[in-house]
Amino acid sequence: MGETRGRGETGGTRRRRRGCAPGCLAALLAPVIGLALLVMIPIWVDDARLDALAERAAAHPLPPRTHRADADVQRSVTLRGNGNHCDYLVRLALSSTLPAAEIARYYENARIEGVDDDRADTAVYFHESPTPAKRPPTAPRSFILEVSDSTDAGLDLRCH
């Protein structure tokens, strides 16, 4: 009771033909996947650093009589200017009834941890009307808190 096979066909040959396609495809895709990971892993690492900086900036206590004007936190990581480094930038829109000088002084003394455990830089930008009107001292003033830091570029292509 033997098995009938077609001319020149063996059980092993048939298996090899089917098994070659996935193996060949994997061999062709492996370098592409490896290159994609080589490019993407440093980007993911720097994005995680940026997210952590944004969380620390958003969690920092606000000055008295100050609140968030917008729930969104703007963030970016890129190369700004010349050099070979990553610049991390976080922006929060805030509003306060405090005087501008007091707000600026508060954030000059703020200790927000940067990307590599050092202190991040802070800057405050006030939205002032081009035609200044007499504003009551208790009127809220809008401003942007900018928290920034930089690190070595590593392999993140956005920073070269």
Side-chain angles (χ1 to χ4, degrees):
M1 306 215 107
E3 220 178 279
T4 309
R5 297 189 192 278
R7 187 173 167 195
E9 190 177 300
T10 64
T13 305
R14 174 172 267 154
R15 256 183 250 133
R16 267 187 249 125
R17 281 187 195 148
R18 269 191 242 152
C20 180
C24 294
L25 184 61
L28 290 172
L29 288 179
V32 173
I33 292 170
L35 183 59
L37 287 175
L38 182 66
V39 169
M40 291 308 298
I41 287 174
I43 290 173
W44 293 332
V45 167
D46 284 338
D47 284 348
R49 289 175 171 176
L50 178 65
D51 290 342
L53 178 63
E55 286 175 19
R56 288 189 297 274
H60 187 76
L62 297 175
R65 301 187 335 239
T66 303
H67 65 276
R68 300 269 301 267
D70 189 356
D72 290 337
V73 177
Q74 294 179 358
R75 57 186 94 189
S76 67
V77 58
T78 190
L79 172 66
R80 288 181 180 79
N82 295 333
N84 192 20
H85 60 278
C86 281
D87 291 311
Y88 302 83
L89 181 66
V90 175
R91 288 186 175 150
L92 290 94
L94 303 171
S95 181
S96 181
T97 57
L98 294 174
E102 193 173 332
I103 295 168
R105 192 171 36 257
Y106 179 86
Y107 283 110
E108 282 173 7
N109 297 320
R111 299 204 53 82
I112 299 173
E113 184 182 318
V115 176
D116 283 336
D117 300 327
D118 293 333
R119 182 178 171 190
D121 295 323
T122 57
V124 178
Y125 301 98
F126 295 96
H127 174 70
E128 300 294 341
S129 172
T131 56
K134 190 164 185 165
R135 68 195 281 316
T138 58
R141 104 178 33 254
S142 297
F143 66 98
I144 300 293
L145 169 64
E146 200 173 80
V147 180
S148 61
D149 201 4
S150 65
T151 62
D152 181 59
L155 296 176
D156 191 333
L157 296 178
R158 298 174 293 181
C159 304
H160 291 274

